[in-house]
């Protein structure tokens, strides 16, 4: 499945403008043959927007989800995007996957919140593995800091995730995560990992870009630079199956030795 990674911070604070960016991007992605376009963490509203996070938060089935479903269906391409999700009085840092026919397939709430900023604005999610079937692949969702916990990604591997989509807001000076950690996660768990980042200054943060789609051989199939960019790469189930047959990590595990980890 050709996957398009939208490396952009959009227009922080403007849901309307970010929907326009997503609409234009979905059109470009579909024209290039993509089956999925992925946008960064909190793309719908912006990340470093303070109390506007709570003001702009919406339910998973809210107006913006309906607008993105219409975008997906009109262009015939699935969309994964980050947004602040409101559920009663709680706000979650969430990512949602919508199919090419506009069906809401999966919604994930970030389980590991990073730093005081996120802990002040969000409630942590409690479900580590969220998946959906898309174009012959089992697609999992995770957000930014979550991928830095090997237990999280291994849980996806054991649940059969083929392509792990990770909307992120990776900031300076942690660019080594995009450069080194993500390809290693893909290799050690025998999956594709699509890590799609924000870019440039926003509030107190400097987002580093470097979005990538890494394969199960640990090789980056696509790597963005430090500016706004749309990059493409393929997640190939045939190559994935062959790689899993060759690499015995998951087969050679000895879970009985790992009790001390929990």
């Amino acid at each position: 499945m050709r996957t398009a990674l939208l490396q952009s911070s959009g227009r922080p604070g403007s849901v309307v403008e970010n929907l326009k960016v997503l609409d234009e991007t979905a059109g470009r992605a579909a024209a290039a043959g993509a089956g999925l376009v992925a946008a960064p963490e909190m793309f719908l509203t912006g990340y470093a927007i303070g109390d506007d996070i709570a003001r702009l938060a919406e339910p998973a089935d809210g107006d913006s989800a309906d607008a993105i479903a219409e975008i997906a269906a009109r262009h015939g391409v699935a969309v994964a995007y980050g947004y602040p999700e409101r559920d009663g009085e709680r706000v979650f840092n969430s990512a949602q996957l919508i199919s090419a026919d506009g069906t809401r397939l999966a919604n994930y709430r970030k389980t590991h919140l990073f730093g005081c900023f996120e802990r002040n604005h969000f409630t942590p999610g409690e479900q580590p593995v969220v998946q959906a079937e898309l174009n012959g692949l089992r697609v999992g969702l995770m957000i930014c800091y979550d991928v830095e916990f090997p237990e999280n990604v291994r849980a996806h591997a054991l649940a059969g995730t083929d392509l792990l989509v990770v909307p992120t807001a990776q900031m300076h000076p942690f660019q080594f995560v995009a450069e080194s950690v993500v390809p290693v996660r893909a290799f050690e768990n025998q999956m594709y990992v699509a890590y799609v980042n924000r870019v440039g200054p926003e509030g107190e943060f400097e987002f580093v870009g470097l979005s990538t789609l890494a394969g199960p051989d640990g090789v980056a199939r696509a790597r963005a630079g430090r500016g706004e960019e749309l990059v493409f790469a393929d997640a190939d189930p045939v190559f994935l199956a062959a790689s899993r047959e060759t690499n015995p990590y998951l087969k050679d595990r000895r879970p009985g030795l790992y009790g001390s980890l929990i």
Side-chain angles (χ1 to χ4, degrees):
M1 178 174 64
R2 173 147 288 194
T3 302
L5 308 183
L6 171 59
Q7 180 167 284
S8 171
S9 289
R11 307 296 179 266
S14 177
V15 172
V16 170
E17 290 302 314
N18 291 329
L19 288 172
K20 289 180 181 177
V21 172
L22 197 54
D23 189 7
E24 187 269 339
T25 301
R28 290 171 59 195
L36 170 66
V37 57
E41 181 176 3
M42 293 285 287
F43 182 78
L44 183 64
T45 61
Y47 180 92
I49 58 173
D51 291 340
D52 280 348
I53 290 174
R55 182 178 65 83
L56 295 174
E58 298 184 25
D61 59 354
D63 290 344
S64 292
D66 289 343
I68 294 172
E70 189 276 330
I71 289 169
R74 178 157 41 83
H75 294 293
V77 62
V79 178
Y81 66 99
Y83 74 107
E85 178 194 354
R86 177 167 294 283
D87 184 355
E89 295 300 312
R90 300 178 299 172
V91 175
F92 297 91
N93 184 337
S94 295
Q96 184 149 227
L97 175 64
I98 295 178
S99 75
D101 66 4
T103 302
R104 292 175 50 244
L105 294 179
N107 188 71
Y108 171 78
R109 295 167 170 176
K110 189 173 186 177
T111 54
H112 295 75
L113 301 181
F114 180 77
C116 294
F117 178 84
E118 290 192 5
R119 289 192 288 269
N120 287 339
H121 290 286
F122 300 109
T123 298
E126 297 295 335
Q127 186 174 353
V129 177
V130 173
Q131 301 168 309
E133 300 296 323
L134 180 68
N135 296 347
L137 293 171
R138 184 169 295 179
V139 176
L141 294 175
M142 194 174 282
I143 299 174
C144 197
Y145 194 39
D146 291 327
V147 81
E148 298 176 39
F149 291 82
E151 301 90 343
N152 263 18
V153 188
R154 181 52 53 87
H156 269 274
L158 296 176
T161 293
D162 299 314
L163 169 62
L164 184 61
V165 178
V166 188
T168 190
Q170 183 64 67
M171 57 197 69
H172 178 82
F174 305 111
Q175 50 266 30
F176 66 89
V177 174
E179 294 170 337
S180 301
V181 174
V182 169
V184 169
R185 289 286 178 270
F187 177 72
E188 68 190 5
N189 291 289
Q190 288 300 289
M191 63 174 62
Y192 288 94
V193 179
Y195 187 80
V196 54
N197 199 10
R198 305 180 69 82
V199 66
E202 187 179 334
E204 63 186 282
F205 306 112
E206 176 75 28
F207 299 115
V208 299
L210 302 174
S211 299
T212 187
L213 193 149
D217 52 0
V219 175
R221 300 299 193 274
R223 171 79 73 187
R226 297 297 187 97
E228 294 212 350
E229 195 172 347
L230 184 65
V231 297
F232 296 87
D234 294 329
D236 180 357
V238 175
F239 181 85
L240 179 59
S243 181
R244 286 172 170 171
E245 187 64 29
T246 301
N247 187 312
Y249 276 150
L250 299 182
K251 295 177 184 176
D252 288 351
R253 293 172 68 251
R254 297 181 61 193
L257 300 179
Y258 310 149
S260 62
L261 293 179
I262 56 172

